Amino acid sequence: MDTVLSEVGRQTLQLSYPDEVDEVEAALRRFRGSARRRPKPPVGMGVELLPLADYVIPMLAGLFGIASGRIAERATDALTDRTRALLAELRDRPGPGAGPMTPEQEREVFESVLLSLEGQVSSEEAQRVAHGVIGALRMRSTGR
């Protein structure tokens, strides 16, 4: 499953924040708990200045049903069973046979991304990431 998170995470960030793509593998290691420690914001800043990949990887894990917990629940609350099934198929067998998502499913996923990132990043960043996720899922469903 790490391959799915890595591939879709890379594509998402490539489409939304290209400068952050190099952070995906480190964020994945932190998500899986194999990194020694999670980066901390500079003292006195009062805000999290983590790479966006540290928010994208858990959100994608929730969308794809790879992780459970609060983030995963928020990510899937707005999804219908049909969309969850399509995401599971895109997770397990990407390519033209799995998709494409309908405009309604894309809206569900978009809203799910916004919900799961709410309070973690700015609404502008969440929207930008959501557009990246939709683009990455389109690429995954077409096999390109």
Side-chain angles (χ1 to χ4, degrees):
M1 292 300 150
D2 284 357
T3 302
V4 172
L5 293 178
S6 178
E7 289 173 5
V8 178
R10 279 186 179 287
Q11 289 171 341
T12 295
L13 290 171
Q14 184 63 48
L15 293 168
S16 55
Y17 286 91
D19 293 344
E20 294 269 346
V21 171
D22 292 340
E23 298 291 335
V24 170
E25 297 307 317
L28 189 55
R29 285 191 303 276
R30 287 189 289 273
F31 176 71
R32 290 291 182 221
S34 57
R36 291 163 94 179
R37 63 184 176 93
R38 191 172 171 102
K40 297 189 188 294
V43 174
M45 291 299 289
V47 294
E48 288 278 335
L49 293 177
L50 297 176
L52 277 170
D54 282 290
Y55 300 107
V56 170
I57 294 297
M59 178 270 304
L60 288 173
L63 277 180
F64 281 123
I66 296 170
S68 59
R70 185 184 62 79
I71 292 173
E73 289 169 11
R74 289 178 79 182
T76 58
D77 278 348
L79 299 178
T80 61
D81 289 341
R82 187 170 160 234
T83 301
R84 281 189 193 113
L86 178 60
L87 288 170
E89 193 163 343
L90 286 173
R91 176 195 66 210
D92 298 335
R93 291 181 293 148
M101 291 191 305
T102 65
E104 293 80 19
Q105 289 173 313
E106 287 186 359
R107 275 193 292 280
E108 287 177 36
V109 170
F110 190 88
E111 290 299 318
S112 293
V113 172
L114 295 182
L115 281 172
S116 66
L117 294 177
E118 189 175 55
Q120 297 183 60
V121 299
S122 71
S123 61
E124 293 82 16
E125 286 176 319
Q127 288 180 23
R128 195 167 166 184
V129 168
H131 284 292
V133 169
I134 297 300
L137 291 175
R138 284 178 183 160
M139 291 168 61
R140 193 159 179 85
S141 70
T142 61
R144 295 184 211 159

